[in-house]
Amino acid sequence: MDDKPVRTGPGPEPQPSTGPASADAGLTTGALARRLGVSPTTLRSWDRRYGIGPAARADGRHRRWAPDDVAVLETMCRLTASGVPPAEAARAARGRAHENTPPVAPTAPRSRAAGPLPLGDVRQECRGLARAAVRLDAPAVARQLDRAITEFGLTVAWQDVMAPALHAVGRKWASSGDRYVEVEHLLSWHVSTALRHHTAPVGASVAPVLLACVPDEQHTLPLEALNASLARNAVPTRMFGAAVPADALGAAVRRLGPAAVVLWAQSRATAAPQLARHIAATAWGVRGARAQPLVLLGGPGWSGRPTRGMVRPTGLADALATLVAAYGTGQPV
C-alpha cells in the first residue's frame, strides 16, 4: 500500500505539509531578538534604517530570518557591543555578507533579558558596555572595561562608563523581576576584576586609608574603584570589602591608626551613624600626640543623616581629591 493521501471528494490534489516549524522557515523576529539579547523593536529599526533585514518574508509580510541573516545581525551586535555606532556597524556587517565569508554558527540564547538598558545621555563606550553585558558577551565586556580604564583613567571610566551601566542594570532588574539578575552579576564581576587588575598595592610607609562597607552592606564596587584610584596616586590603602562587623572595624582602626576611614552605605537601611561617630572619635597614640582618623561617608545611604565632623564626598572624583590632598601627593592622577 502506498502513502499517498486519499481523496475523499472534489478539489485539488492534497499537498504534503512542511509545518509551521520547518527549519527552512527561519527564525521569527521575537525568537531572534531573544537569541541576540536585543529588543524586537531594535531589529525592526535596524531593518528600516540600515537595511539589516531578512532576505525573505513569509506570506510577503512576516519577517523570517535565515541563517545568513542571523550571521549578519550577530556581526552587527558584536560591533555595536564594542562601541561602534550602529550606522558604521551596519555597513561593516553588510560588507561581511557581500564578501561571502562563512557565517557565524548560531548560538544558544544567552540571556532571558530582553531589550536595551535605560541609559539616558551617556558616553558611547557606556552604551557598548551595556550592550555586551545584556548579551552576556563576557570577552566583549572585559575588552570594553580595559579599554575605558586605559583611555580615560580610572576615575572617568568609573563615573562615565561603569557606574551608569551598573545603575541601568539595577533599575532594569528592579522593574523586570529577576530577568536581568544574570546581567547584573556578570557585569559586576567583570567590573571588579578590571578594577583589581588595575590596582597596584602601595607600601605601608605611612598611615593607610581604610575602606570598608558598614555592617549588612554588600555593595563593594564603589569602594573598589576608589581603592584602585588611590593606589594609582601612591596612597596606601587597606581594603576590607563588604559587611565589616562593627567590632572588627573598630579593632582595625585602633590597630592600623589610619589617616582616613571611608565607610560605604548604599541604602539608608544599612547606614550606621552611630558606628560612624564611634570611628570618628577613636583615637590612638601617646598622650599629648593622639590622632583621630578623617572619616568619609560614601554612598547614598548617608543622605539625610547627621554627619558633623565627617566628610560627605559627592562622588569618586571628590573623594579621591580629598584623600590625595590629605596625603599631600599633589593633584589626583
Side-chain angles (χ1 to χ4, degrees), residues 119-128 152 156-157 159-161 164:
L119 290 167
D121 185 15
V122 296
R123 285 180 181 267
Q124 174 181 305
E125 291 79 8
C126 180
R127 295 189 180 281
F152 304 128
V156 174
Q159 294 184 156
D160 292 358
V161 180

Side-chain angles (χ1 to χ4, degrees), residues 167-190:
H167 292 162
V169 173
R171 290 194 298 271
K172 198 73 172 179
W173 180 7
S175 64
S176 304
D178 65 350
R179 283 196 301 160
Y180 282 76
V181 63
E182 72 277 18
V183 178
E184 194 273 342
H185 280 224
L186 180 133
L187 182 57
S188 296
W189 190 88
H190 278 282

Side-chain angles (χ1 to χ4, degrees), residues 225-286:
L226 178 57
N227 182 56
S229 296
L230 289 169
R232 285 205 166 188
N233 284 270
V235 175
T237 65
R238 295 294 183 272
M239 176 65 168
F240 286 86
V244 183
D247 291 344
L249 182 58
V253 170
R254 291 189 297 271
R255 180 179 177 183
L256 292 172
V261 177
V262 182
L263 299 176
W264 181 267
Q266 182 73 20
S267 69
R268 287 179 60 86
T270 60
Q274 184 175 353
L275 173 62
R277 289 192 293 269
H278 172 72
I279 296 300
T282 301
W284 55 86
V286 298

Side-chain angles (χ1 to χ4, degrees), residues 22-28 32 35-36 52-56 63-76 78 93 96-97 101-107:
S22 171
D24 292 335
L27 292 173
T28 65
L32 182 57
R35 169 177 293 186
L36 297 176
I52 304 293
R63 293 174 173 84
R64 288 286 181 173
W65 303 80
D68 288 345
D69 302 324
V70 175
V72 172
L73 273 174
E74 286 180 332
T75 301
M76 177 82 171
R78 280 197 299 274
R96 183 185 184 282
T101 54
V104 178
T107 57

Side-chain angles (χ1 to χ4, degrees), residues 33 41 61 65 68 79-80 98 102 106 115 120 128 134 140 161 173 175 177 186 212 225 264 289 296 322:
T41 301
R61 295 182 295 107
W65 303 80
D68 288 345
L79 292 172
T80 55
H98 294 157
V134 169
V161 180
W173 180 7
S175 64
L186 180 133
W264 181 267
L296 280 72
T322 299

